[in-house]
């Protein structure tokens, strides 16, 4: 306590002494009766003032420490629900433990994850229909926009994180049988009679939409008109015996069930298959399409669950070199330039000569209207095939 600060009891003694002095003066002037009333009132006032000073004195020093929560006290456990498209499972299973450890160390809070994987279109509908995702990592921004339009994600989500919210990237590749007996080298080779192709359904799979766009983009650049592109893709999809629900089912149909002469799929899915010991022959066509996968926090759900801070922290962690390295290890082209320039990944991900993007086709609203809406190009192709 400062030497200038006086304890309330000491202050009381000083005031009593002053009153005693005053008492002597009054005694000489007015007599005892008046003095009795005066002294009683003065003592009551002083005592009340001293007590008030004691109870209202500011809490300082050790008192403040006692009132506050102990430093480092564990916080209540929190659970996040991550909903993602099928082929990201291996990446997230490697990344999530790293984030959990980091958050526990820095925030002294345990985080657990509920994870759901499936076709991007199916996952989108599940979230809209009530699957309470805190975070969605989907195959295409068009699916995330559907969740936004349903009122679950705030507008402007693309600007909240780097690269317009794109956290993982890939390109479509063509996988062939050992020795490539059908001599398939480019997209146009998939139009040939006698070539059986495995790919997923664009109505349920985001991966399949990227496959469709790669085929269309190459056909337009080769032929120059939408009519010729529609004709070319009708030939390609005529060679598809069955459209699988998602990319993982397409991979299983080709490798495990032996269906098809060729498979169109994510480059990352094929790299992962080769890492697991499957012998893979594939080509990356020089005219190709950039597959960009966005991440977003589901604002309405995190507000309901009280998980906004940890959900946003996890999304930011996905952009870190540590997380991007894990994406790259399982086949995704890193969005972090420092990771992309590492020799192991430069060798693994060759540069594509002619790489188009969604913006080159007018954005997702225009793409969906032209290709995937009811009665649009894909439905027209299916009608011609009579499937």
């Amino acid at each position: 306590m400062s030497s200038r600060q006086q304890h309330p009891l000491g202050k009381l003694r000083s005031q009593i002494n002053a009153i005693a002095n005053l008492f002597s003066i009054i005694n000489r002037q007015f007599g005892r009766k008046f003095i009795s009333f005066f002294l009683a009132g003065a003592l009551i006032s002083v005592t009340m003032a001293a007590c008030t000073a004691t109870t209202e004195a500011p809490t300082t020093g050790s008192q403040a420490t006692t009132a506050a929560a102990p430093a480092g006290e564990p916080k209540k456990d929190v659970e996040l629900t991550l909903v993602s498209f099928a082929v990201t499972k291996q990446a997230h299973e490697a990344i999530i433990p790293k984030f959990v450890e980091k958050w526990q160390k820095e925030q002294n809070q345990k985080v657990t994850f509920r994870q759901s994987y499936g076709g991007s279109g199916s996952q989108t509908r599940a979230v809209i229909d009530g699957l309470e995702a805190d975070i969605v990592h989907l195959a295409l921004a068009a699916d995330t926009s559907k969740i936004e339009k349903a009122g679950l994600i705030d507008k402007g989500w693309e600007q909240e994180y780097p690269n317009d919210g794109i956290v993982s990237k890939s390109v479509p590749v063509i996988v062939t049988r050992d020795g490539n007996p059908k001599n398939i080298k480019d997209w146009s080779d998939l139009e040939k009679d006698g070539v059986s192709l495995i790919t997923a359904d664009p109505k349920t799979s985001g991966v399949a939409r990227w496959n469709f766009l790669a085929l269309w983009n190459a056909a337009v650049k080769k032929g120059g008109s939408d009519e010729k592109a529609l004709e070319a893709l009708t030939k390609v999809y005529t060679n598809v015996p069955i459209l699988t629900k998602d990319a993982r089912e397409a991979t299983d149909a080709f490798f495990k069930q032996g269906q098809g002469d060729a498979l169109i799929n994510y480059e990352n899915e094929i790299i992962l298959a080769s890492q697991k010991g499957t012998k893979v022959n594939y080509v990356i066509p020089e005219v190709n399409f950039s597959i960009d996968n966005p991440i977003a926090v589901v604002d309405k759900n995190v507000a309901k669950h009280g998980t906004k801070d940890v959900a946003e922290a996890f999304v930011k962690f996905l952009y870190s070199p540590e997380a991007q390295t894990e994406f790259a290890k399982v086949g995704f082209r890193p969005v972090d330039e420092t990771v992309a320039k590492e020799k192991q990944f430069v060798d693994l991900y060759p540069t594509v000569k002619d790489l188009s993007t969604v913006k080159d086709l007018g954005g997702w609203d225009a793409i969906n209207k032209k290709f995937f809406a009811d009665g649009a190009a894909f439905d027209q192709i299916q009608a011609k095939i009579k499937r």
Side-chain angles (χ1 to χ4, degrees), residues 66-359:
T66 302
E73 181 179 348
K75 301 175 184 177
K76 183 179 178 181
D77 294 355
V78 62
E79 180 181 75
L80 290 180
T81 299
L82 170 67
V83 173
S84 191
F85 61 109
V87 299
T88 64
K89 184 177 181 180
Q90 277 69 25
H92 283 302
E93 287 183 342
I95 293 168
I96 285 172
K98 295 179 181 295
F99 173 76
V100 168
E101 181 180 1
K102 181 176 185 290
W103 189 258
Q104 177 73 54
K105 182 178 180 181
E106 295 178 356
Q107 302 295 327
N108 200 14
Q109 184 176 40
K110 182 180 178 181
V111 184
T112 57
F113 279 77
R114 293 179 60 205
Q115 302 170 59
S116 173
Y117 300 95
S120 188
S122 301
Q123 295 289 75
T124 299
R125 285 191 295 275
V127 172
I128 292 172
D129 290 342
L131 175 55
E132 294 189 359
D134 296 294
I135 302 160
V136 287
H137 182 190
L138 299 172
L140 55 159
D143 285 343
T144 313
S145 294
K146 289 178 182 177
I147 301 175
E148 174 198 321
K149 290 173 182 177
L152 298 174
I153 295 176
D154 293 343
K155 291 183 178 180
W157 58 269
E158 305 97 321
Q159 280 72 55
E160 292 183 6
Y161 301 102
N163 308 316
D164 292 327
I166 304 304
V167 75
S168 58
K169 299 169 73 73
S170 193
V171 294
V173 300
I174 305 172
V175 186
T176 66
R177 294 298 177 190
D178 190 21
N180 195 8
K182 299 285 183 164
N183 196 30
I184 299 168
K185 298 179 180 179
D186 206 348
W187 302 117
S188 59
D189 293 327
L190 301 175
E191 303 171 28
K192 297 176 181 177
D193 293 338
V195 173
S196 177
L197 173 67
I198 302 298
T199 186
D201 187 347
K203 293 289 187 178
T204 59
S205 169
V207 175
R209 294 197 176 195
W210 292 113
N211 295 349
F212 184 98
L213 295 178
L215 288 162
W216 185 275
N217 177 64
V220 167
K221 289 189 173 181
K222 179 181 177 182
S225 70
D226 285 356
E227 290 76 15
K228 289 186 177 180
L230 192 64
E231 181 181 340
L233 267 69
T234 300
K235 292 179 180 178
V236 171
Y237 281 93
T238 299
N239 290 336
V240 179
I242 184 171
L243 293 165
T244 64
K245 183 177 67 176
D246 57 41
R248 182 55 49 82
E249 285 191 6
T251 301
D252 289 345
F254 186 80
F255 287 111
K256 295 181 180 180
Q257 301 168 22
Q259 297 183 40
D261 302 304
L263 165 72
I264 308 177
N265 213 330
Y266 274 8
E267 176 186 44
N268 67 277
E269 182 75 346
I270 304 311
I271 290 174
L272 183 62
S274 66
Q275 291 174 345
K276 290 184 175 182
T278 302
K279 185 176 181 181
V280 182
N281 300 280
Y282 68 96
V283 294
I284 305 174
E286 289 188 345
V287 178
N288 217 316
F289 212 87
S290 181
I291 296 172
D292 300 331
N293 318 129
I295 191 85
V297 170
V298 185
D299 298 285
K300 186 174 181 179
N301 290 341
V302 297
K304 177 180 178 180
H305 303 155
T307 54
K308 181 178 179 180
D309 289 346
V310 65
E312 290 181 344
F314 177 68
V315 171
K316 290 177 182 177
F317 182 72
L318 294 180
Y319 286 93
S320 69
E322 186 176 11
Q324 284 295 308
T325 296
E326 296 301 328
F327 275 120
K329 285 179 180 179
V330 295
F332 288 96
R333 295 187 172 221
V335 299
D336 183 281
E337 289 299 320
T338 59
V339 177
K341 291 178 180 178
E342 292 181 17
K343 187 178 186 305
Q344 59 175 324
F345 300 133
V346 170
D347 295 340
L348 186 59
Y349 304 112
T351 301
V352 177
K353 183 178 179 181
D354 186 345
L355 190 65
S356 296
T357 68
V358 165
K359 291 181 181 179

Side-chain angles (χ1 to χ4, degrees), residues 1-15:
M1 180 179 293
S2 170
S3 61
R4 295 185 181 182
Q5 292 178 325
Q6 188 174 21
H7 193 281
L9 293 179
K11 186 176 181 181
L12 178 60
R13 294 191 190 98
S14 298
Q15 290 173 330

